[in-house]
Amino acid sequence: MDCPTCGKTLSTERGMRQHYTKVHGEPLPNRTCRGCGLEFYDPKARREFCEDCNPNAGEHNGNWSDAMETTSCERCGEAFDYYPSNKDGKYCSSCVDAADGLLPENPATKGDRVAVHCRSCDTELEVRPARLEEQTRGFFCTLECYGTWLSETVVGPAHHQWKGGPIPYGQRWWRIRRQALEHDDYECQHCGADADELGQNPDVHHRQPVRSFDQPDAAHTMDNVITLCRSCHRRVEEGTIVVSPRDER
């Protein structure tokens, strides 16, 4: 196989291509255009059309320069070009860059933040004014505070429907979860990592899965839950580690 430029003979096509690229500074064509039959080079050897025939290039592309349309800026009145494939033109780029508040604001982000208090622990929080109307139950600084409020305020003697009956499913889980965390000092009962090390409260794991109970709320008991970090919790669920019950520890 002879080099088409210098005439050097090589034994394989691959060797010829390497020689041509190294010696002559450009690769040999490896594709034939389906449109015009021209040979061209494609690094990935996938393209079926050359640049002139590419159906997604040039005048075939919606963002081709000659496909731009002209309109007048609704703010300054100056004419400007835009691509209709992007969006309808309303403002020229100069007005967009210079204007303050030209684009409409999201109502949920308007206004300065206002101070509110967590309904469980009274920690001061800052929220957008729009959330004051959206949140009917009040605000809570953490999921644990929300669970505490549910178990101590929404249910129990303070609740308007309280008749000394059982705690509804859901609220029972929040109460047991909080009790488990407090009992285990917010520490993983397998590796010992605490909330400060984890940057968040550990998980509370059901030793016997909730789905195995005829009555789901029967799973929410202290002897069936244990505190684990997220990593150990996942490993227990996968069966790669086993955690002993509290009374065996």
Side-chain angles (χ1 to χ4, degrees), residues 71-219:
T71 189
S72 296
C73 175
E74 294 184 7
R75 188 166 187 265
C76 69
E78 293 293 328
F80 69 96
D81 296 330
Y82 71 98
Y83 291 114
S85 59
N86 288 344
K87 59 183 178 180
D88 293 339
K90 290 182 178 292
Y91 307 103
C92 66
S93 59
S94 297
C95 284
V96 170
D97 293 339
D100 180 16
L102 174 64
L103 301 179
E105 291 185 88
N106 183 340
T109 63
K110 288 184 177 179
D112 296 330
R113 293 180 181 270
V114 296
V116 297
H117 289 83
C118 173
R119 292 194 66 179
S120 178
C121 68
D122 205 39
T123 298
E124 185 173 297
L125 310 170
E126 290 187 348
V127 300
R128 294 289 186 184
R131 290 197 61 197
L132 295 177
E133 298 179 3
E134 297 171 355
Q135 186 55 265
T136 58
R137 285 193 170 186
F139 296 89
F140 302 90
C141 57
T142 65
L143 200 59
E144 285 69 32
C145 274
Y146 180 56
T148 299
W149 177 79
L150 281 175
S151 62
E152 296 181 353
T153 305
V154 175
V155 297
H159 192 267
H160 69 281
Q161 293 181 340
W162 175 258
K163 297 180 181 179
I167 300 172
Y169 175 71
Q171 278 78 19
R172 180 184 296 276
W173 162 238
W174 284 108
R175 175 171 291 182
I176 290 298
R177 183 179 187 278
R178 177 169 53 84
Q179 290 176 357
L181 288 169
E182 293 175 351
H183 181 279
D184 295 337
D185 294 325
Y186 292 83
E187 292 182 353
C188 174
Q189 299 302 291
H190 182 75
C191 70
D194 59 22
D196 290 337
E197 296 176 67
L198 298 171
Q200 62 183 17
N201 286 335
D203 294 346
V204 175
H205 166 67
H206 287 88
R207 295 180 53 78
Q208 185 174 344
V210 176
R211 62 179 177 275
S212 66
F213 289 80
D214 293 333
Q215 297 296 326
D217 60 348

Side-chain angles (χ1 to χ4, degrees), residues 39-91:
E39 292 188 341
F40 66 96
Y41 175 74
D42 174 26
K44 296 184 178 180
R46 296 177 181 174
R47 288 169 46 194
E48 297 183 359
F49 297 91
C50 66
E51 289 295 337
D52 293 335
C53 298
N54 189 345
N56 295 315
E59 62 183 357
H60 305 294
N61 192 307
N63 284 336
W64 184 47
S65 60
D66 287 350
M68 296 183 73
E69 295 185 6
T70 302
T71 189
S72 296
C73 175
E74 294 184 7
R75 188 166 187 265
C76 69
E78 293 293 328
F80 69 96
D81 296 330
Y82 71 98
Y83 291 114
S85 59
N86 288 344
K87 59 183 178 180
D88 293 339
K90 290 182 178 292
Y91 307 103

